[in-house]
Amino acid sequence: MERPERIVLESPPVKESKSNGAIENAIQQVQGQFRTIKDGLESRIGKRIKGESPIVPWIVLRAARALNRYHVSQDSKTAYRRWKGKEFKRDVAEFAESVMYLKPGTQGKDKFSARWERGLWLGIRDETSEVIIGTELGVVKARDFKRMGSSGERWSAQLVQSMSGTPWEPTPGKSDDAIQVRVRLPEE
């Protein structure tokens, strides 16, 4: 379908970031959210987050998604509402909080094995509303999660430091950016 609008590309003057007002403002907001989330996590676990940690890109993603879901613009709507036509309504945990997540593919299966595992809450997938969980083996998606009872159980420097997987490589060693479900099939 061809649209009748004519698109005119504009380039700002060289080294004049002020001419990109709206974009620069958005960048500053994401940077501010990033610093807030990172500082909050560091104070919770009592350790510094290094720049090369695989959790850093997830903090950037969380910062941008928080603004899209919760920042109300001048038109009294969030970016999420303009995009989806409804407000974001999903239970969330604090970023990198240790949670129990329902292992995919376990419902109605082996009644003897545990269906819940511990991982780090990284966010919610916009496309499916699935929970994104960080583990030491990589990042997985799950349908449901439960928060831990006490503050001592919710924060683990060891889990944060051992987490692996980035948004572009959720499972280390696999060049696929799809977040796996990790369903174990019965051996034949």
Side-chain angles (χ1 to χ4, degrees):
M1 177 169 93
E2 194 170 315
R3 295 178 58 164
E5 297 92 7
R6 185 170 165 248
I7 298 173
V8 178
L9 297 176
E10 293 181 3
S11 296
V14 176
K15 300 197 186 238
E16 289 294 326
S17 62
K18 290 180 183 175
S19 61
N20 285 330
I23 298 301
E24 290 295 325
N25 184 32
I27 290 168
Q28 288 175 358
Q29 287 180 349
V30 172
Q31 288 173 338
Q33 281 292 318
F34 173 86
R35 284 190 297 274
T36 300
I37 294 167
K38 180 179 167 285
D39 289 347
L41 177 58
E42 288 174 341
S43 70
R44 296 275 196 195
I45 65 171
K47 302 262 185 193
R48 302 277 301 152
I49 303 294
K50 295 180 180 170
E52 62 274 2
S53 170
I55 206 160
V56 169
W58 293 104
I59 298 174
V60 175
L61 196 56
R62 172 67 182 135
R65 286 183 173 165
L67 289 168
N68 286 338
R69 291 173 180 157
Y70 304 114
H71 178 73
V72 179
S73 296
Q74 291 176 345
D75 64 355
S76 300
K77 295 180 182 176
T78 63
Y80 186 90
R81 181 171 184 173
R82 283 192 297 279
W83 175 41
K84 294 266 192 172
K86 60 184 179 182
E87 293 298 333
F88 178 78
K89 291 186 180 173
R90 179 81 160 85
D91 289 338
V92 297
E94 197 169 330
F95 181 81
E97 181 179 326
S98 181
V99 297
M100 297 298 288
Y101 69 97
L102 181 61
K103 293 188 298 188
T106 59
Q107 191 168 4
K109 304 283 186 218
D110 184 5
K111 305 289 187 208
F112 192 69
S113 298
R115 294 175 47 204
W116 296 84
E117 280 189 9
R118 191 171 182 175
L120 296 175
W121 191 91
L122 299 177
I124 304 285
R125 292 189 67 199
D126 284 328
E127 305 83 2
T128 61
S129 292
E130 292 168 301
V131 181
I132 303 170
I133 301 291
T135 71
E136 60 186 27
L137 299 175
V139 177
V140 296
K141 58 186 176 181
R143 186 189 61 171
D144 202 6
F145 76 98
K146 293 180 183 178
R147 296 180 82 178
M148 302 296 238
S150 71
S151 181
E153 294 176 305
R154 289 184 180 175
W155 303 104
S156 169
Q158 190 273 328
L159 277 178
V160 171
Q161 292 172 331
S162 67
M163 193 210 94
S164 63
T166 61
W168 54 89
E169 192 178 327
T171 304
K174 288 187 176 180
S175 58
D176 185 9
D177 68 348
I179 299 174
Q180 301 299 311
V181 179
R182 293 200 202 274
V183 177
R184 291 200 173 119
L185 299 175
E187 294 181 27
E188 296 181 21

